Amino acid sequence: AKGNGKNQVVLFDDSQQERVNRRFVVENELRDAIERDEMRLFFQPIVNDQQVVVGMEGLIRWQHPARGLVPPNEFIPIAEQGGLILAIGRWVLDRACEMLVEWKSDHERQRWTLSVNVSARQFNEPNFIEYLRSLLRRFDFPPERLCIELTETALLNSIDGDLQDKIAALKKQGVKLALDDFGTGYSSLSYLKRLPLNKLKIDQSFVRTLLNDRKDQGITAAVLSMATFLDLEVVAEGVETIEQFNYLRSLGCGAFQGYLFGRPAPIDTFLSNQISCA
Ligand code: C2E
Ligand code: CA
Ligand code: CA
Ligand code: CA
């Protein structure tokens, strides 16, 4: 490891240089990606305890002309650092709202809630609330059908008073709020008491090992019982097997997301999957 001679040091420098280069390339390409219409919003179903679709989460991909479909983990962090996340985040919210408008007259779809991920950087923009307000005004649909997913990091990085005000303003607009990846960050339980959240999303790392890990069972059961007292809806993420689904349901979980019910897919695929299920 460290202090192992010159080679190690040189190797480290190389890979770091490479990383910087790649970041630079990706960042430059990202800058034009929206104008070139290379961003795609995929959708993954969220179901209730009867496995009926109640909503979906929008998940971004980058349809790169040479590299194919690039997953968000490969460009969202870069976009966050360079500030491009603001443009990307707006594109995502625009697309989401457009779709909700399209479904306004559809009997079944007008009950679905659409969740979108909002990054810390975007949420902490001073005019995020204003932006959202004008967006909701522009598209005329019930705001409670839009759910904003924030990670604990997003909450952690905001200034305390500011955060309370922001979340209160969101609530006033009627938009739903979910705490994403719950249990993986550093936020304290006092957040759950102070902030008027609507949902918790149990991170898939707990669900993955749920059936053979007593600790995960304990944590999951505790989160679900706590949520009842706090009037929070709980969504279990990363549900891949019927056993996981049944176990979570027996603990009182009411909403589920995972490959068992559908993978993230383009909207047309998403909709035809729903039809073939009905
Ligand atoms: P996330 O918000 O926690 O999204 C859930 C991730 O779990 C998605 O990965 C989804 O494809 C994956 N997943 C869903 N069901 C299963 C399952 O049963 N098994 C397994 N192994 N995985 C499952 P994805 O689409 O690659 O997104 C990764 C992360 O990128 C998201 O995590 C989110 O933090 C971020 N992201 C995605 N779209 C956006 C976006 O529009 N804006 C922002 N700011 N971040 C986004
Ligand atoms: Ca999410
Ligand atoms: Ca998550
Ligand atoms: Ca995650």
Side-chain angles (χ1 to χ4, degrees), residues 243-257:
E243 288 80 14
Q244 289 168 340
F245 170 73
N246 285 332
Y247 188 83
L248 285 158
R249 194 168 54 166
S250 76
L251 291 179
C253 188
F256 311 81
Q257 184 179 354

Side-chain angles (χ1 to χ4, degrees), residues 151-175:
T151 59
E152 298 177 41
T153 326
L155 300 183
L156 209 71
N157 289 343
S158 24
I159 308 137
D160 207 52
D162 197 38
L163 175 67
Q164 298 247 27
D165 291 350
K166 250 186 178 158
I167 293 196
L170 278 178
K171 290 297 280 204
K172 213 170 140 202
Q173 292 178 20
V175 175

Side-chain angles (χ1 to χ4, degrees), residues 8 24 32 101 112 116 120 136 140 184 196 243 253 273 278:
Q8 290 278 332
F24 186 74
D32 304 318
V101 168
W112 290 347
V116 290
L136 291 171
D140 171 43
T184 61
E243 288 80 14
C253 188
N273 283 346

Side-chain angles (χ1 to χ4, degrees), residues 22 28 65 99 104 142 148 185 194 198 223:
R22 194 174 59 226
N28 273 330
M99 203 137 67
K104 233 162 121 178
I148 288 183
R194 294 200 334 259
N198 301 95
V223 168

Side-chain angles (χ1 to χ4, degrees), residues 12 31 49 71 99 118 157 159 163 187:
F12 177 71
R31 224 176 282 284
D49 60 353
M99 203 137 67
V118 168
N157 289 343
I159 308 137
L163 175 67
S187 78

Side-chain angles (χ1 to χ4, degrees), residues 97-132:
C97 290
E98 267 168 32
M99 203 137 67
L100 287 175
V101 168
E102 254 175 59
W103 294 348
K104 233 162 121 178
S105 54
D106 186 299
H107 205 65
E108 183 167 2
R109 295 176 200 170
Q110 68 178 342
R111 287 195 297 256
W112 290 347
T113 301
L114 179 49
S115 295
V116 290
N117 296 284
V118 168
S119 77
R121 179 88 180 250
Q122 188 184 6
F123 181 70
N124 289 316
E125 270 276 290
N127 58 7
F128 178 70
I129 297 296
E130 261 314 309
Y131 166 75
L132 203 64

